[in-house]
Amino acid sequence: MTQPTPEPVPEHRDVIIVGAGLSGIGAACRLRQELPGKDYAILEGRENIGGTWDLFRYPGIRSDSDMFTLAYPFKPWRDPKSIADGDSIRDYIAEAAREYGVTDHIRFGTRVAGASWDSATARWTVEATTAAGTRHYTCDFLFMCSGYYDYDRGHQPDFPGREDFAGTWVHPQFWPEDLDHEGKRIVVIGSGATAVTLIPSLAESAEHVTMLQRSPSYLTALPSRDPVADRLRKILPAKLAHSILRLQYVTLTQAFYQLARRRPERVKKVLRGIALRFLKDESYVDEHFTPSYEPWDQRLCVVPEGDFFKTIARGTASVVTDHIDRITEKGIRLRSGEKLEADVIVSATGLSLTPLGGITIHIDGEQVDIGKTVTYRGLMLSGVPNLAFCIGYVNASWTLRADLVARYVPRLLGLMDRERIAVATPAPTVSPDRPLLDLESGYVKRSEHLFPRQGRRDPWRLHQNFFLDAVGLGRADLRKDMLMTPASAVGARSAAVTRPSVAGIAADAAAAGTGSRTEQEVAS
């Protein structure tokens, strides 16, 4: 009888990074730059570098923000286009990994399922599934860079009659490579970034594309190429030009966001004017491009060169604002009674979100309910030791914040090394009274209860402001509201030692001092 092959001894690393997308590769590059002596591995469930940019392969996939801020600050974006296609972004990430010696540290085809912390050894044990079976890894510090998209499932409403449809039904997250849409009638359900990206590309060869939306979204048109960037690249070193452009774009983005929140009527007028410039029809714009919510209550959709508007103006695409009554054999019947015939229906109905890549977290055998934790500086979790996670901005490029997090973690690890601290655990001093992501979008609201919450004050708030974070995280007191365990105490913990609760505690119960505490101080 064949005996099962025993699992090899768990591979141990100082740091394990989960995810080889934009965040994970950036985190590894920063770790190499700032703590070159740290031993690390990257666990990636897919077979390629790129994360989201490797997963999403639908026609027209591109960045939804400028590449000067979506790119890493340490690696200049050299492509002429400032709004880039998915292949170019994926190539850029892979190139960064090669340049910084990160590629050889990636374990592809290694999907993390869970992680367990053992206080007696001050280590994480990470469980992963591979083609060869279950593998385990151990580490002193776990850095979750898996984003918050559910890679296995997109959001799919249960439309009545869907099983009756005789054509092809597609979700953009799982776009079939062999789908032939030439000469077809296509209905795209949805009005978000995915829909407005897909439609111009599909309309190039389809008979007609209809965007079916329940309610309008705010769109803004931006040039896909920046002439200022072209000039700066010719006269300045690449890194200096990149830094100037990055500062320019983040300043403009943050200024526009603040204007939208403080002067929404003014911004509405600007966005309406952009739509009118392309479409020339006030009634059409009022019906299909005038949302009921305020700008930036939901993420603003970028339309490079106005391509979406131009497609509508040419007549190869159109917009219908209505609700679905039923999916039929030949298409969609709307509540108004109108029928949309379709050969292909694309359900661009949004994403599903999941915290920490959907993995389960245990501390000393007890599972952590992530939804009951409080986020510490928007990158750690209350009561969860030696774990950081990466989350970007909802009102600007993801990488702006991801890079700040990737620089904060080496600072914390450096402090722990210098002072022989084995465990760093955020100890909550506030009540969790706000959701983590401050957006009204459906895909955010559907998953809100799964994510950590935030408090009313620092360091328990997640700012949506790059300039505040650049100063705040860069100069942060690494000990503030942290429970630090010296290496000498590991393995000899007293039962009397108080550990921080996972959930937040009432603000008025906070200790008078807000500095860090060692376990000896807590116990005494």
Side-chain angles (χ1 to χ4, degrees):
M1 183 176 179
T2 304
Q3 296 296 320
T5 303
E7 182 186 348
V9 175
E11 180 180 334
H12 180 76
R13 294 289 179 264
D14 296 332
V15 180
I16 283 181
I17 298 169
V18 178
L22 195 61
S23 304
I25 297 302
C29 292
R30 285 300 193 187
L31 196 61
R32 289 293 297 270
Q33 292 172 30
E34 301 183 27
L35 287 177
K38 282 292 180 186
D39 187 21
Y40 71 95
I42 303 175
L43 308 185
E44 169 55 51
R46 302 175 65 78
E47 296 296 337
N48 302 300
I49 286 174
T52 298
W53 300 105
D54 180 62
L55 171 69
F56 293 159
R57 300 294 186 101
Y58 56 80
I61 176 69
R62 54 169 170 76
S63 62
D64 60 352
S65 55
D66 69 274
M67 287 305 302
F68 303 111
T69 54
L70 190 64
Y72 304 122
F74 53 82
K75 179 174 170 55
W77 177 253
R78 301 175 186 272
D79 192 286
K81 287 188 175 182
S82 56
I83 304 293
D85 61 84
D87 288 345
S88 298
I89 299 171
R90 190 169 61 253
D91 292 345
Y92 169 85
I93 299 170
E95 188 177 273
R98 291 193 299 271
E99 288 181 5
Y100 285 84
V102 168
T103 308
D104 291 342
H105 292 256
I106 305 173
R107 311 291 184 264
F108 291 108
T110 304
R111 183 181 293 271
V112 175
S116 301
W117 172 261
D118 176 36
S119 295
T121 59
R123 282 187 175 182
W124 285 102
T125 297
V126 179
E127 180 179 310
T129 57
T130 71
T134 301
R135 289 290 308 273
H136 290 88
Y137 299 80
T138 60
C139 64
D140 302 321
F141 197 95
L142 183 59
F143 195 175
M144 298 297 303
C145 294
S146 46
Y148 53 39
Y149 292 150
D150 187 335
Y151 281 11
D152 296 323
R153 293 180 302 276
H155 176 62
Q156 180 57 73
D158 185 18
F159 295 120
R162 177 185 162 184
E163 66 280 359
D164 297 333
F165 182 55
T168 303
W169 187 280
V170 181
H171 193 288
Q173 189 166 324
F174 308 102
W175 195 270
E177 291 184 11
D178 59 349
L179 178 64
D180 179 15
H181 59 269
E182 185 173 356
K184 302 292 180 64
R185 297 164 299 175
I186 304 174
V187 175
V188 178
I189 305 173
S191 59
T194 300
V196 301
T197 299
L198 264 170
I199 288 169
S201 181
L202 295 175
E204 290 177 3
S205 58
E207 177 183 320
H208 188 81
V209 183
T210 302
M211 183 172 83
L212 172 59
Q213 60 180 11
R214 290 185 302 178
S215 58
S217 298
Y218 284 112
L219 311 180
T220 185
L222 292 177
S224 60
R225 184 165 180 162
D226 185 348
V228 174
D230 293 341
R231 288 195 294 271
L232 283 178
R233 286 162 165 163
K234 289 179 181 179
I235 62 176
L236 296 176
K239 286 192 175 181
L240 178 57
H242 184 67
S243 297
I244 293 172
L245 291 164
R246 192 169 186 268
L247 179 60
Q248 170 191 312
Y249 273 88
V250 70
T251 301
L252 291 172
T253 301
Q254 294 287 288
F256 186 75
Y257 174 77
Q258 292 299 327
L259 180 64
R261 304 311 282 173
R262 299 178 186 186
R263 299 286 188 271
E265 294 304 319
R266 183 181 300 179
V267 171
K268 287 179 185 179
K269 187 178 295 185
V270 170
L271 297 176
R272 183 175 185 273
I274 291 172
L276 275 173
R277 178 155 53 93
F278 289 98
L279 300 176
K280 315 297 184 186
D281 185 336
E282 289 196 22
S283 62
Y284 195 85
V285 169
D286 289 342
E287 180 179 1
H288 301 302
F289 296 98
T290 306
S292 58
Y293 59 88
E294 303 288 11
W296 276 115
D297 281 352
Q298 298 184 25
R299 191 175 174 93
L300 198 65
C301 295
V302 174
V303 181
E305 306 293 348
D307 60 358
F308 175 74
F309 293 127
K310 291 176 181 177
T311 302
I312 295 172
R314 285 194 299 266
T316 53
S318 57
V319 181
V320 172
T321 303
D322 205 335
H323 287 71
I324 294 174
D325 177 56
R326 185 176 182 82
I327 307 298
T328 67
E329 180 182 1
K330 295 183 178 181
I332 302 174
R333 186 174 69 227
L334 304 176
R335 287 186 186 174
S336 63
E338 182 181 355
K339 295 179 180 178
L340 302 177
E341 294 193 350
D343 305 301
V344 179
I345 295 177
V346 179
S347 183
T349 46
L351 304 162
S352 292
L353 304 187
T354 184
L356 305 186
I359 75 169
T360 57
I361 297 288
H362 289 78
I363 298 177
D364 296 329
E366 295 184 21
Q367 184 169 342
V368 175
D369 183 345
I370 302 298
K372 292 182 178 178
T373 63
V374 197
T375 181
Y376 177 82
R377 301 195 190 280
L379 56 87
M380 297 182 78
L381 300 173
S382 59
V384 180
N386 289 22
L387 181 147
F389 68 97
C390 181
I391 191 167
Y393 293 116
V394 298
N395 63 356
S397 293
W398 176 276
T399 316
L400 286 173
R401 193 171 197 285
D403 185 66
L404 294 175
V405 173
R407 300 192 72 179
Y408 183 95
V409 169
R411 282 187 63 216
L412 176 61
L413 294 175
L415 171 72
M416 294 172 70
D417 288 346
R418 289 191 303 274
E419 302 192 8
R420 299 185 181 279
I421 295 168
V423 186
T425 311
T429 58
V430 298
S431 296
D433 61 353
R434 296 176 56 201
L436 182 68
L437 301 175
D438 188 21
L439 280 182
E440 297 299 318
S441 304
Y443 73 98
V444 172
K445 287 297 183 183
R446 286 192 297 269
S447 308
E448 189 176 274
H449 63 289
L450 301 175
F451 282 78
R453 297 181 69 79
Q454 57 176 313
R456 291 184 292 270
R457 61 170 178 80
D458 290 334
W460 302 96
R461 287 187 62 189
L462 173 63
H463 295 290
Q464 293 294 335
N465 187 306
F466 171 76
F467 294 110
L468 282 178
D469 280 341
V471 175
L473 291 179
R475 299 179 181 178
D477 178 0
L478 299 173
R479 293 176 167 278
K480 184 177 176 63
D481 288 359
M482 292 289 285
L483 183 64
M484 302 288 196
T485 305
S488 59
V490 173
R493 295 164 57 93
S494 166
V497 170
T498 302
R499 286 182 290 175
S501 64
V502 170
I505 60 175
D508 59 3
T514 57
S516 70
R517 293 162 287 169
T518 63
E519 291 208 349
Q520 289 94 330
E521 290 171 331
V522 172
S524 61

